[in-house]
Amino acid sequence: MDVQAAREIGAGIAVIALAGVGIGLGNIFSTLVGSIARNPAARPHVFGLGMLGFALTEAIALFALLIAFLILFS
């Protein structure tokens, strides 16, 4: 196996984490909308927690892309 082929396969495997991130973001925002629809008075508290969950989940995507780029270009 060529080194370049191994790098491309490794980067592809590293990017698989993005599928989990997409599922996680969909779950976070669907739960956020559902909870605000059930209790609009709790919006200020729930919205902040939803944004925190979004930021932490998005950080996983950035780490996965960083690892993929490191595998490809190092």
Side-chain angles (χ1 to χ4, degrees):
M1 176 180 282
D2 188 21
V3 174
Q4 184 62 29
R7 285 183 180 173
E8 291 174 359
I9 291 171
I13 291 171
V15 174
I16 290 175
L18 296 179
V21 169
I23 293 169
L25 288 176
N27 190 10
I28 287 170
F29 285 113
S30 69
T31 305
L32 179 68
V33 169
S35 64
I36 291 174
R38 286 176 182 255
N39 187 4
R43 184 190 183 279
H45 180 68
V46 174
F47 187 76
L49 291 175
M51 288 300 112
L52 178 65
F54 166 74
L56 293 175
T57 307
E58 192 65 28
I60 300 297
L62 293 175
F63 292 147
L65 284 175
L66 175 72
I67 296 300
F69 286 144
L70 283 174
I71 290 172
L72 280 177
F73 300 115
S74 64

